[in-house]
Amino acid sequence: VSIFVLTSSSADYEKRLRSRGTEDEATIQRRLRNAQLELSHAVDYPYQVLNDDLEEAFARLCEIVAVSFSRGS
């Protein structure tokens, strides 16, 4: 099963990257550019999960996987 996991906005994604404090500015900028390209392909996935709340996102992922396996996909 193919699932695209995304944040609510690119600003939120940038905030998450910066708050980690693990990457330099050039790496952050590269990841932000890559994210924009990847987001353009989100529509190609049969499922999209918004990762604004970890527990909710995890529950949704588990739900999708369980349904997929029950269907034999």
Side-chain angles (χ1 to χ4, degrees), residues 9-21 28 32:
S9 68
S10 56
D12 186 47
Y13 180 61
E14 182 175 357
K15 179 180 162 188
R16 289 180 186 196
L17 286 175
R18 292 187 184 284
S19 69
R20 292 178 188 157
I28 290 172
L32 291 171

Side-chain angles (χ1 to χ4, degrees), residues 22-56:
T22 58
E23 296 165 300
D24 62 22
E25 185 63 26
T27 302
I28 290 172
Q29 291 303 317
R30 179 180 48 79
R31 290 189 64 178
L32 291 171
R33 283 191 306 275
N34 289 344
Q36 289 303 314
L37 176 62
E38 291 167 3
L39 280 170
S40 71
H41 295 284
V43 296
D44 299 330
Y45 287 73
Y47 300 98
Q48 297 180 17
V49 173
L50 184 62
N51 186 19
D52 279 348
D53 178 279
L54 181 60
E55 289 181 18
E56 287 180 26

